[in-house]
């Protein structure tokens, strides 16, 4: 149990260092961190059952890190696509409003 707590402490310390590297965490980084901590905890519990909590935590942390990063990457890509679509929608609305003002101006002049 002592090794499990030691491995979890190292995982928490490393994730804190990565998280404090500056700026907000991206969705990909959040997914990787959550996956690493969850994987280390689960791996440590499974490893403790077979007598190797440190190795279980390390293996679980690595697998969780990879899985969390993949999930976070997919979510980050989806967020980026949604942001791009919203920018296009905003640009289209601005163009429509410009055309409405232009049309109204032409109506007032009697040209339309």
């Amino acid at each position: 149990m002592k090794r499990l707590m030691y491995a979890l402490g190292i995982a928490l310390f490393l994730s804190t260092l990565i998280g404090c590297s500056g700026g907000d965490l991206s969705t990909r980084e959040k997914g990787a961190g959550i996956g690493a901590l969850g994987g280390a905890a689960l791996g440590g519990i499974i490893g403790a059952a077979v007598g190797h909590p440190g190795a279980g935590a390390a293996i679980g942390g690595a697998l969780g890190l990879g899985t969390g990063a993949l999930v976070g990457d997919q979510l980050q890509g989806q967020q980026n696509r949604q942001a791009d679509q919203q920018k296009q929608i905003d640009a289209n609305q601005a163009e429509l409003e410009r055309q409405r003002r232009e049309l109204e101006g032409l109506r007032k002049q009697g040209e339309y």
Side-chain angles (χ1 to χ4, degrees):
M1 189 58 137
K2 186 176 181 181
R3 287 183 184 175
L4 171 63
M5 298 307 289
Y6 179 72
L8 289 175
I10 290 175
L12 181 61
F13 175 74
L14 291 176
S15 66
T16 303
L17 282 179
I18 292 169
C20 294
S21 63
D24 292 335
L25 293 177
S26 70
T27 303
R28 179 182 306 118
E29 292 166 340
K30 289 176 188 175
I34 291 168
L37 291 176
L42 186 59
I45 291 169
I46 293 171
V50 295
H52 300 287
I59 293 168
L63 292 174
L65 175 69
T67 303
L70 287 174
V71 170
D73 186 54
Q74 292 299 312
L75 292 173
Q76 182 78 44
Q78 185 177 22
Q79 288 174 345
N80 291 343
R81 284 188 298 278
Q82 288 173 346
D84 291 342
Q85 288 172 347
Q86 188 60 48
K87 285 179 188 176
Q88 186 63 46
I89 289 169
D90 292 343
N92 289 346
Q93 287 176 337
E95 177 63 17
L96 282 172
E97 186 58 35
R98 185 194 66 77
Q99 290 177 358
R100 282 188 187 115
R101 285 191 308 269
E102 184 179 333
L103 182 59
E104 188 61 33
L106 290 172
R107 284 183 181 155
K108 286 180 181 180
Q109 292 176 2
E111 297 177 13
Y112 185 72

